[in-house]
């Protein structure tokens, strides 16, 4: 493991009071055996929502999302920072030529100089070696941050599509409900003319129609807002999506329905997919490597340096050269340098504690996401059964109403119960999809480089 390598940087120093991070924080009694474990490591989990339009949106967003583009540029910057660390050996060269003269003399002199220098910094105490290791870990941090940015894009895009389908379902259901209420109003007026319905029943039917008409504009605005959000997530402005994709979004579709069974166990090792845990682990790696850099400052620095200089003076030339070791002793008194080492040890201990806290937070998030997904699945199953029963009740009420054995109020109440059950179903389908999305993102699924094909 990468962090185990970082520990080796301090050699046999027994004063470093910690070990490489391990997942021993997970309790053996943790509730991870709810059923046969299912590995939720699918890098394309969003396809489990069974919406081909979402698949196209994800492909577009991973290629064009601006926040993700910035995160990828940070990887480039981190690599450049590593490459900018001076090497152990360096060559320098200069070339100079000039003409000198005086206003009191008609003569001039031509001078030239070329110089080739060599500097070889020995690294017996690992200062540069640890700098390179820390820089390499920072590249991995930037890489993990890009993974986190990709997860956020997937999370937001899947949520936006699920919300769009939810708003469209509400709008379709609202229009159907409006048509039904208008039919009920027409029936009420017909019965009122035949003195089979009261004025109160007619007024109530009119109020129900007006109430629903007041909600429809808000639902239409919610659909437009969802379309705008999707366009921005895809790296375009509102209305900037390709025409074919925009038409597919506006055409509507069924709400996403995850196919994952709620009876799923989550092995703790899957949490290693999470970018925040990877970032915390590599930050610990950086902190340990920087201890080695600080400790190297307690010892003399040894280098071999030399230069060859060729001077051209008028018609003559002269070659000068030197070569030899250079020793730079540490500053005295040594207390400031020792204090810097102590500060690095403290930073490493803080990074280790932060890593443990990150793991515990991740466990909490995954456990809560799993419980929420199971609850959403159970609620949706019960709501589907209730909706079916209310439909049967409405059919029976209509039959007895036509025989004159039920009042108009009974029929309206039965219709309201069906519509209410359908609205609950729409809400629960959204919650089921959102909890599925949350569970996969909490597990870090979808951040692998193979998923996007962009790195």
């Amino acid at each position: 493991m990468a962090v185990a390598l970082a520990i080796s940087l301090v050699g046999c120093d027994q004063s470093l009071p910690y070990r490489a991070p391990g997942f021993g924080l997970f309790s053996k009694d943790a509730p991870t055996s709810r059923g046969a474990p299912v590995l939720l490591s699918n890098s394309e989990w969003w396809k489990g929502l069974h919406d081909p339009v979402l698949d196209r949106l994800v492909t577009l967003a991973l290629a064009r999302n601006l926040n993700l583009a910035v995160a990828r540029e940070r990887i480039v910057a981190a690599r450049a920072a590593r490459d900018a660390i001076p090497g152990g050996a360096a060559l320098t060269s200069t070339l100079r030529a000039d003409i000198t003269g005086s206003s009191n003399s008609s003569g001039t002199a031509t001078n030239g100089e070329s110089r080739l220098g060599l500097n070889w910094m020995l690294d017996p105490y690992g200062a540069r070696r640890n700098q390179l290791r820390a820089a390499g870990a920072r590249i991995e941090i930037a890489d993990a941050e890009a993974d986190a940015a990709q997860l956020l894009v997937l999370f937001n895009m899947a949520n936006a599509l699920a919300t769009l389908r939810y708003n469209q379902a509400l709008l379709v259901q609202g229009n159907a409900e409006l048509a039904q209420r208008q039919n009920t109003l027409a029936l009420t007026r017909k019965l009122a003319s035949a003195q089979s319905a009261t004025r109160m029943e007619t007024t109530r039917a009119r109020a129900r129609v007006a109430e629903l008409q007041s909600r429809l504009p808000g639902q239409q605005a919610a659909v437009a807002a969802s379309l705008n959000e999707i366009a921005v997530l895809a790296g375009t402005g509102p209305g900037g999506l390709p025409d074919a994709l925009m038409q597919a979004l506006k055409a509507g579709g069924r709400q996403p329905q995850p196919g994952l069974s709620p009876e799923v166990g989550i092995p703790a090792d899957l949490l290693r997919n999470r970018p925040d845990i990877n970032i915390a682990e590599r930050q610990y790696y950086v902190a340990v490597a920087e201890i080695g850099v600080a400790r190297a400052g307690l010892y003399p620095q040894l280098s071999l340096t030399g230069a060859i200089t060729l001077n051209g003076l008028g018609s003559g030339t002269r070659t000068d050269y030197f070569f030899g070791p250079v020793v730079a002793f540490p500053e005295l008194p040594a207390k400031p340098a020792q204090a810097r080492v102590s500060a690095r040890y403290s930073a490493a201990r803080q990074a280790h504690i932060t890593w443990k806290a990150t793991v515990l937070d991740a466990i909490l998030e995954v456990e809560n996401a799993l419980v929420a997904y199971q609850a959403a699945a159970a609620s949706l199953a019960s709501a589907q059964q209730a909706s079916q029963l209310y439909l049967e009740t409405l059919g029976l009420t209509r039959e007895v109403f036509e025989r004159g054995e039920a009042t108009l109020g009974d029929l309206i109440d039965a219709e309201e119960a069906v519509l209410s059950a359908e609205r609950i179903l729409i809400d629960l389908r959204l919650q089921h999809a959102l909890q599925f999305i949350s569970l996969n993102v909490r597990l870090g699924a979808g951040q692998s480089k193979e998923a996007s094909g962009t790195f």
Side-chain angles (χ1 to χ4, degrees):
M1 189 170 62
V3 175
L5 295 177
I7 295 297
S8 68
L9 299 180
V10 297
C12 298
D13 189 348
Q14 298 301 319
S15 63
L16 191 61
Y18 37 76
R19 55 182 173 78
F23 277 72
L25 292 172
F26 293 93
S27 170
K28 294 181 180 179
D29 299 326
T32 58
S33 57
R34 297 177 178 87
V38 176
L39 303 181
L40 300 183
S41 58
N42 180 16
S43 60
E44 297 181 334
W45 54 265
W46 58 89
K47 293 186 177 180
L49 294 172
H50 308 295
D51 192 323
V53 178
L54 175 60
D55 301 342
R56 294 163 61 187
L57 287 171
V58 166
T59 300
L60 184 62
L62 293 180
R64 300 179 60 176
N65 183 268
L66 300 181
N67 292 332
L68 187 53
V70 171
R72 290 169 180 161
E73 282 300 320
R74 292 195 182 105
I75 299 176
V76 176
R79 289 173 177 164
R82 180 198 57 188
D83 296 340
I85 295 175
L91 287 174
T92 59
S93 59
T94 60
L95 181 64
R96 180 179 63 84
D98 57 58
I99 300 175
T100 60
S102 173
S103 61
N104 297 326
S105 173
S106 60
T108 60
T110 302
N111 303 316
E113 180 184 273
S114 60
R115 178 185 177 89
L116 178 64
L118 168 67
N119 187 70
W120 180 22
M121 177 69 71
L122 303 181
D123 193 29
Y125 304 108
R128 181 177 179 276
R129 184 169 64 253
N130 284 310
Q131 287 176 345
L132 289 172
R133 287 173 174 170
R138 291 190 181 96
I139 294 174
E140 294 176 340
I141 289 173
D143 201 6
E145 288 173 343
D147 288 341
Q150 180 167 311
L151 274 183
L152 185 60
V153 170
L154 294 174
F155 178 76
N156 289 337
M157 183 61 80
N159 277 352
L161 192 281
T163 302
L164 172 65
R165 296 306 189 208
Y166 166 76
N167 290 326
Q168 288 174 328
L170 284 180
L171 187 59
V172 170
Q173 197 254 4
N175 287 324
E177 184 176 353
L178 178 61
Q180 183 172 314
R181 287 187 178 186
Q182 289 172 336
N183 290 336
T184 301
L185 175 59
L187 175 61
T188 303
R189 285 171 171 166
K190 180 179 179 181
L191 293 175
S193 64
Q195 298 182 347
S196 297
T198 65
R199 180 181 177 184
M200 182 180 69
E201 290 173 331
T202 302
T203 303
R204 179 187 177 191
R206 291 176 59 195
R208 292 172 63 243
V209 171
E211 175 194 9
L212 188 55
Q213 287 175 331
S214 70
R215 296 204 304 258
L216 290 178
Q219 293 172 348
Q220 293 169 345
V223 169
S226 295
L227 289 171
N228 291 338
E229 181 183 3
I230 288 172
V232 171
L233 287 171
T236 68
L241 290 172
D243 291 340
L245 190 53
M246 180 61 77
Q247 291 302 320
L249 286 170
K250 290 182 176 180
R254 72 172 188 173
Q255 289 182 264
Q257 298 178 20
L260 178 66
S261 169
E263 295 299 324
V264 56
I266 306 299
D269 284 345
L270 287 180
L271 290 176
R272 286 189 175 278
N273 291 332
R274 286 178 58 115
D276 57 342
I277 292 179
N278 291 333
I279 290 171
E281 184 175 344
R282 284 154 179 79
Q283 286 174 338
Y284 175 66
Y285 186 112
V286 170
V288 174
E290 289 179 342
I291 292 174
V293 176
R295 289 181 63 215
L298 298 175
Y299 305 101
Q301 295 182 2
L302 176 63
S303 61
L304 296 176
T305 185
I308 299 175
T309 304
L310 180 63
N311 293 290
L313 303 173
S315 59
T317 61
R318 186 180 77 246
T319 301
D320 299 323
Y321 61 89
F322 72 89
F323 182 78
V326 176
V327 180
F329 292 96
E331 63 183 15
L332 293 174
K335 187 175 180 179
Q338 293 170 344
R340 286 193 290 270
V341 173
S342 296
R344 291 301 183 187
Y345 272 99
S346 177
R349 287 191 291 270
Q350 293 175 50
H352 187 255
I353 294 169
T354 299
W355 175 85
K356 291 196 291 185
T358 302
V359 171
L360 289 177
D361 289 343
I363 295 171
L364 176 63
E365 288 183 3
V366 170
E367 288 294 335
N368 288 346
L370 181 58
V371 169
Y373 178 73
Q374 292 172 325
S379 296
L380 181 59
S382 297
Q384 289 171 335
Q385 182 180 10
S387 178
Q388 184 61 38
L389 292 173
Y390 278 124
L391 280 173
E392 293 179 8
T393 301
L394 176 59
L396 294 173
T397 303
R398 283 175 176 163
E399 290 179 5
V400 297
F401 176 77
E402 291 173 357
R403 296 198 301 265
E405 299 174 0
T407 66
L408 179 61
D410 294 333
L411 180 59
I412 291 176
D413 289 342
E415 290 176 347
E416 286 289 348
V418 169
L419 294 172
S420 177
E422 289 178 354
R423 284 193 295 270
I424 291 174
L425 264 180
I426 292 173
D427 290 342
L428 290 178
R429 289 192 189 106
L430 173 63
Q431 292 304 315
H432 190 214
L434 294 181
Q435 295 303 334
F436 172 83
I437 294 167
S438 177
L439 177 58
N440 279 279
V441 171
R442 295 289 181 263
L443 285 167
Q447 54 83 27
S448 67
K449 300 172 182 59
E450 293 79 7
S452 64
T454 53
F455 295 155

